[in-house]
Amino acid sequence: MALPVRKQMKYWGVAAAVFLLAMWWLGDVIMPFLLGMAIAYFLDPVADRLESWGTSRAAATAIITLGALLIFILGALLVLPVAINQALDLFDTAPQLFQNLQRFLTERFPDLTEEGSVLRQSLSAVGETIQSKGGELLNTALSSVGSLISIVTLFVIVPVVAFYLLYDWDNMVAEVDSLLPREHADTIRGLARDIDRSMAGFIRGMGSVCLILGTYYAGALMLAGLNFGLVIGVVAGLLTFIPYVGALTGGVLAIGLALFQFWGDWLSIGLVTGIFVLGQVIEGNFLTPKLVGSSVGLHPVWLIFALSVFGSLFGFVGMLAAVPLAAAIGVIARFVVGQYKQSKLYRGVNEDPWDTAPVRDTTQD
């Protein structure tokens, strides 16, 4: 005999509460495991494709691991030091940039920047604050990350967890499937497929979009001769994950710096602007439709809200789990709405005959 709905809701509510409490209590302890799980989930289709070509799961996992390790080492040796140095240099030169902005405004709008004006004092204060606090903030962030994610965690635990989860991914999915309540197994599988489709479309798709755009912006801006082009490209690529934020932030930074660096050289300024315009055209017309698709089910406002809420409640771990949880909540919410519209609570005890009766064709009379 099936359990009453009320008792089932109680059990599922307790399970959800335990899950949220574990996230809050364990916090940074589970972060390397979440990262490893995210990496394994991201790479599972690659392993499946290699298996379809005749390799074993162990060989496919080893090939992926060696390739990822090689890319990580090259990035850590070639890209990361340059990006950090450019970020520190950007903080150091911020006062000069604001002085250039102040001089620009003084020449064209002298009334706004007269001695003692609020705008003049604000620009000077912002530049000095960025110089004094910017490098300190970056160093603090790096040291905090270093204490939060220890070297052992970064270089040992995450790759090991990702390796074993990737190797056993199909077995784990089968084991979880065997534990589903038999009465609701088909419904849960359907919801899981919808959640996987939504997560795969966004996480794998947007991850690829971020990587492609970040590489494009960084390379193109450096070839254009823009100072700090690498760090701006990396920032723009990473923030592309948040709808509209990456393009807006990267475009403002790049074009603003180009105005200061190339003032009077309108060809160079136009080139930097064209790089971001072309990037947005490529993203909107090719990358996002092809890699993400139009049926992801994650509205940009809902995604930003989820990142804000889960980040505020659970910190960095919450931000890591925000997208999967947002996808799951969205799918479950649509399922609940569908069930509600089929229920008597929505349709009423005596259904409206206009909802069900066929429309009579009067043209045959």
Side-chain angles (χ1 to χ4, degrees):
M1 180 177 178
L3 287 175
V5 175
R6 179 173 297 182
K7 187 167 289 187
Q8 292 185 39
M9 293 296 293
K10 181 177 70 174
Y11 288 146
W12 288 113
V14 170
V18 170
F19 173 75
L20 294 175
L21 182 62
M23 280 188 60
W24 176 80
W25 185 54
L26 294 175
D28 301 329
V29 175
I30 64 174
M31 185 165 59
F33 299 94
L34 289 178
L35 286 171
M37 182 178 294
I39 294 172
Y41 176 78
F42 188 87
L43 296 175
D44 179 62
V46 181
D48 292 339
R49 178 61 62 87
L50 291 175
E51 281 189 286
S52 68
W53 291 345
T55 61
S56 65
R57 186 71 181 192
T61 304
I63 292 171
I64 294 171
T65 302
L66 291 175
L69 184 62
L70 179 61
I71 293 173
F72 174 78
I73 292 174
L74 290 176
L77 293 178
L78 301 178
V79 178
L80 191 60
V82 178
I84 293 176
N85 289 333
Q86 285 195 8
L88 293 174
D89 292 340
L90 179 59
F91 287 129
D92 290 336
T93 58
Q96 181 62 41
L97 295 176
F98 280 95
Q99 288 178 9
N100 294 341
L101 176 60
Q102 182 178 310
R103 188 180 307 112
F104 173 83
L105 294 175
T106 301
E107 293 174 356
R108 287 157 180 80
F109 309 100
D111 294 338
L112 295 177
T113 56
E114 61 184 6
E115 191 68 32
S117 68
V118 175
L119 180 59
R120 188 184 186 96
Q121 294 176 358
S122 299
L123 291 174
S124 300
V126 169
E128 293 172 0
T129 300
I130 292 178
Q131 183 183 30
S132 61
K133 300 297 184 180
E136 178 183 346
L137 178 63
L138 182 62
N139 291 329
T140 302
L142 292 174
S143 63
S144 299
V145 171
S147 61
L148 188 62
I149 311 172
S150 64
I151 300 298
V152 174
T153 299
L154 184 61
F155 291 100
V156 177
I157 297 182
V158 171
V160 169
V161 170
F163 176 86
Y164 280 108
L165 289 181
L166 181 61
Y167 178 72
D168 287 328
W169 190 265
D170 294 337
N171 294 331
M172 290 188 302
V173 172
E175 184 65 26
V176 171
D177 183 79
S178 68
L179 297 175
L180 295 179
R182 296 297 94 186
E183 183 182 3
H184 305 294
D186 291 337
T187 301
I188 295 174
R189 290 189 189 109
L191 290 174
R193 283 192 294 269
D194 292 339
I195 293 172
D196 177 67
R197 190 179 302 114
S198 180
M199 286 172 53
F202 189 84
I203 295 178
R204 293 174 183 146
M206 282 306 300
S208 301
V209 171
C210 291
L211 179 62
I212 294 171
L213 283 182
T215 304
Y216 161 73
Y217 284 139
L221 291 175
M222 292 179 67
L223 290 175
L226 182 68
N227 294 334
F228 318 114
L230 176 62
V231 68
I232 293 174
V234 170
V235 169
L238 290 176
L239 292 181
T240 301
F241 196 81
I242 306 175
Y244 312 118
V245 174
L248 181 62
T249 304
V252 169
L253 283 175
I255 297 172
L257 288 173
L259 288 172
F260 288 120
Q261 181 179 343
F262 303 121
W263 182 256
D265 184 0
W266 302 110
L267 178 61
S268 297
I269 296 173
L271 180 60
V272 172
T273 305
I275 288 171
F276 268 87
V277 172
L278 180 60
Q280 290 309 295
V281 170
I282 293 173
E283 177 192 359
N285 293 281
F286 299 100
L287 294 180
T288 301
K290 294 293 184 182
L291 298 177
V292 180
S294 58
S295 59
V296 175
L298 283 177
H299 193 277
V301 176
W302 169 237
L303 177 62
I304 295 173
F305 176 76
L307 287 169
S308 301
V309 170
F310 288 110
S312 175
L313 291 176
F314 305 107
F316 186 66
V317 174
M319 295 189 70
L320 286 176
V323 173
L325 291 177
I329 293 172
V331 170
I332 294 172
R334 288 191 291 272
F335 172 78
V336 171
V337 170
Q339 294 296 308
Y340 162 70
K341 287 188 174 181
Q342 295 177 8
S343 69
K344 291 183 178 181
L345 178 63
Y346 175 76
R347 304 175 68 89
V349 177
N350 298 317
E351 296 183 359
D352 189 345
W354 291 102
D355 288 341
T356 56
V359 178
R360 182 165 175 255
D361 187 359
T362 59
T363 61
Q364 302 299 325
D365 296 342

